[in-house]
Amino acid sequence: MSKRLEIKPSDITIRHKFAMFVCVCSVLFPAMALTGFMPEAQDVSTSTLVAIAVIGSAGSGAIAFPRRRLRASISGAMLGGGALLGIVFYVILRLVLIPSESFYNIEFVIAGLLGSLPGLLLLRWWALRPETPLSDRASNATGPSSTD
């Protein structure tokens, strides 16, 4: 039985920290521009801001896990786009339900985490899954053999 790739806190390197920084920046600034917290960026189109978040997060996935670059990029793109849309939808919903202009920082963090949850799950269960050789796949497809 193959063991999944586990990342312990001691396994986090400078490369992983840099990738997290790139991901946070590529989601944070477009989210601030889309929600109106950065008024000087109102001239940038919505599709451009979403593309910045998705491409930046995909790049951070490739930086963090270079051996699984394609899968990590796809998961990172889903993570970044989900986090961006989660924050934007939360701000819109909150302003409709509670018309107050003050927000706590934790509200954005929770909205971003909930939005990025599909991408995080995809990263954990698909991108970080260890590769099995084709010979093992063929032997598992026929089922266990009995030697009795």
Side-chain angles (χ1 to χ4, degrees), residues 21 41 47 58 62 69 95 100 108 123:
F21 177 75
S47 60
R69 187 175 304 124
L95 287 175
S100 170
F108 295 113
L123 179 70

Side-chain angles (χ1 to χ4, degrees), residues 5-129:
L5 177 68
E6 296 291 330
I7 297 177
K8 295 175 246 145
S10 62
D11 294 337
I12 297 177
T13 62
I14 298 293
R15 185 182 71 235
H16 292 109
K17 291 177 184 177
F18 177 70
M20 283 189 270
F21 177 75
V22 169
C23 185
V24 167
C25 288
S26 68
V27 171
L28 181 67
F29 293 120
M32 288 173 58
L34 284 173
T35 55
F37 289 106
M38 201 161 74
E40 54 274 353
Q42 292 296 320
D43 297 335
V44 183
S45 69
T46 303
S47 60
T48 304
L49 292 171
V50 172
I52 289 171
V54 169
I55 293 170
S57 299
S60 69
I63 291 170
F65 303 104
R67 292 190 179 184
R68 294 178 171 93
R69 187 175 304 124
L70 180 63
R71 289 181 176 194
S73 294
I74 293 169
S75 300
M78 190 170 177
L79 187 146
L84 176 71
L85 294 177
I87 292 170
V88 170
F89 289 152
Y90 175 77
V91 169
I92 291 170
L93 184 67
R94 170 107 173 349
L95 287 175
V96 167
L97 295 177
I98 305 169
S100 170
E101 302 251 344
S102 65
F103 286 87
Y104 292 108
N105 290 339
I106 192 71
E107 293 179 80
F108 295 113
V109 172
I110 292 171
L113 284 175
L114 288 176
S116 67
L117 196 59
L120 287 172
L121 291 174
L122 187 67
L123 179 70
R124 171 67 176 95
W125 296 107
W126 180 64
L128 298 182
R129 185 179 66 191

